[in-house]
Amino acid sequence: MSLLTINKLTSSVGAEVIGVQPERLVDDDHLSAAVLEALEDNGVLVFRDLHLEPTDQVAFCGRLGSVDFSSDGHHEVAGIYPITLNSAKNSAASYLRATFDWHIDGCTPMGDECPQKATVLSAVQVAERGGETEFASSYGAYDLLTDEEQQRFGALRVVHSLEASQRRVTPDPTPEELARWRARPTHTHPLVWTHNTGRKSLVLGASADYIVGMDLDEGRALLTELLERATVPDKVYRHNWSVGDTVIWDNRGVLHRAAPYDPDSPREMLRTTVLGDEPIR
Ligand code: OGA
Ligand code: MN
């Protein structure tokens, strides 16, 4: 029997985990193994009203894999990164507006780092309006293709860039902004990711710029169509945050985005990222 009591939140993505004490996430080996298994099965796990301490959040993530400490300096606890549009709390806040578009984290790394394995967000303050986080399964995105499409798209390669994702929210960048975006190398990924488990997913989202060898507009139209099909409302879990909620997602198997919220909103999420070890191939 599983150690976790879980209720599915939609038919395709998301499950709520009931009755877990924060301490057990930190000190119970069997529980962290069960969390990883439930994450693979459900894409997103929701722990309502958990009130996880930042240090415990980092310890919990350390049981799931290697914690990303590379963005330290934004919060007093190592391994915690505040997500807020308030630039007083996060100097990189302006980049975060790109979270309003569907995306997969880590498709355009500085080097050849793999996309993150999992991400945890805990709500410290919530927006008065908007600011929900939405999730859709990228495994589901592949599974809903016809057999013929699965065949055909298996050969396609897509160029991803930071510029593509930033342009969606800042269409008229200054030359300085453009230079900063372009300092990040572009990455070419297969459209269909065959995971170590054998499962397949589509690699879509804001960073996906164009399809190699296809007419630019035609390729972009295809990327848009695939994203739309993957994120129709009945395939989406939308998390409406309350202070104290913790949500974890499988970044290799879901697309996510934030519903727009006011930049002056107090909304603040504390994020911890578990590093990935599986290249997109
Ligand atoms: C992220 C992200 C969405 C949100 O932290 O990677 O996309 O709702 N966050 O804040
Ligand atoms: Mn993100």
Side-chain angles (χ1 to χ4, degrees), residues 83 96 98-99 101 103-106 119 249 251 256-258 271:
I83 302 289
L96 293 176
T99 58
D101 285 299
H103 64 281
I104 296 170
D105 292 336
T119 302
W249 71 85
N251 182 59
H256 64 282
R257 71 171 176 186
R271 177 165 93 171

Side-chain angles (χ1 to χ4, degrees), residues 176 196 212 234:
E176 293 75 24
N196 293 342
V212 177
D234 74 321

Side-chain angles (χ1 to χ4, degrees), residues 64-78:
L64 307 179
S66 310
V67 172
D68 180 7
F69 291 106
S70 66
S71 306
D72 279 358
H74 296 272
H75 190 274
E76 69 219 22
V77 174

Side-chain angles (χ1 to χ4, degrees), residues 11-43:
S11 58
S12 58
V13 71
E16 178 170 359
V17 181
I18 316 281
V20 170
Q21 306 305 314
E23 314 77 68
R24 286 187 55 218
L25 292 176
V26 177
D27 63 22
D28 186 331
D29 279 338
H30 299 292
L31 192 73
S32 23
V35 166
L36 281 176
E37 199 181 306
L39 196 57
E40 177 76 21
D41 291 345
N42 296 286

Side-chain angles (χ1 to χ4, degrees), residues 5-275:
T5 307
I6 60 174
N7 288 336
K8 292 210 181 269
L9 293 164
T10 73
S11 58
S12 58
V13 71
E16 178 170 359
V17 181
I18 316 281
V20 170
Q21 306 305 314
E23 314 77 68
R24 286 187 55 218
L25 292 176
V26 177
D27 63 22
D28 186 331
D29 279 338
H30 299 292
L31 192 73
S32 23
V35 166
L36 281 176
E37 199 181 306
L39 196 57
E40 177 76 21
D41 291 345
N42 296 286
V44 179
L45 299 177
V46 172
F47 302 81
R48 284 187 218 278
D49 211 19
L50 190 67
H51 296 277
L52 189 62
E53 289 296 328
T55 48
D56 288 346
Q57 177 166 313
V58 177
F60 166 50
C61 286
R63 293 190 158 265
L64 307 179
S66 310
V67 172
D68 180 7
F69 291 106
S70 66
S71 306
D72 279 358
H74 296 272
H75 190 274
E76 69 219 22
V77 174
I80 295 281
Y81 184 81
I83 302 289
T84 163
L85 293 179
N86 181 338
S87 48
K89 289 188 181 163
N90 182 342
S91 52
S94 65
Y95 278 89
L96 293 176
R97 286 191 310 126
T99 58
F100 294 167
D101 285 299
W102 288 107
H103 64 281
I104 296 170
D105 292 336
C107 288
T108 60
M110 232 17 222
D112 59 0
E113 302 88 323
C114 301
Q116 293 83 341
K117 175 178 180 181
T119 302
V120 170
L121 287 186
S122 293
V124 179
Q125 294 200 70
V126 299
E128 209 171 299
R129 266 188 310 280
E132 301 89 352
T133 307
E134 296 186 312
F135 300 94
S137 171
S138 61
Y139 293 120
Y142 178 81
D143 294 340
L144 60 77
L145 300 176
T146 65
D147 292 348
E148 182 274 327
E149 286 174 322
Q150 291 185 346
Q151 283 289 325
R152 187 153 48 92
F153 298 158
L156 297 181
R157 295 178 67 75
V158 180
V159 175
H160 291 250
S161 69
L162 179 65
E163 180 177 345
S165 51
Q166 290 295 323
R167 258 192 203 282
R168 295 175 204 274
V169 286
T170 309
D172 294 307
T174 64
E176 293 75 24
E177 278 173 321
L178 198 55
R180 267 200 305 278
W181 300 345
R182 289 187 176 164
R184 188 81 74 89
T186 64
H187 292 263
T188 305
H189 299 302
L191 175 59
V192 178
W193 181 353
T194 305
H195 298 257
N196 293 342
T197 56
R199 295 175 83 188
K200 294 185 180 193
S201 68
L202 292 188
V203 184
L204 295 169
S207 62
D209 192 7
Y210 62 91
I211 298 180
V212 177
M214 201 182 269
D215 171 77
L216 202 63
D217 291 340
E218 202 182 315
R220 285 185 173 151
L222 177 58
L223 292 170
T224 304
E225 183 206 314
L226 293 175
L227 186 63
E228 278 173 7
R229 286 164 65 182
T231 58
V232 290
D234 74 321
K235 302 272 183 232
V236 170
Y237 171 63
R238 167 179 262 232
H239 187 69
N240 198 350
W241 291 95
S242 298
V243 170
D245 289 355
T246 291
V247 170
I248 176 166
W249 71 85
D250 168 3
N251 182 59
R252 305 193 279 219
V254 299
L255 289 144
H256 64 282
R257 71 171 176 186
Y261 52 97
D262 191 330
D264 294 328
S265 143
R267 185 188 197 265
E268 184 180 3
M269 301 285 150
L270 297 186
R271 177 165 93 171
T272 304
T273 308
V274 182
L275 294 170

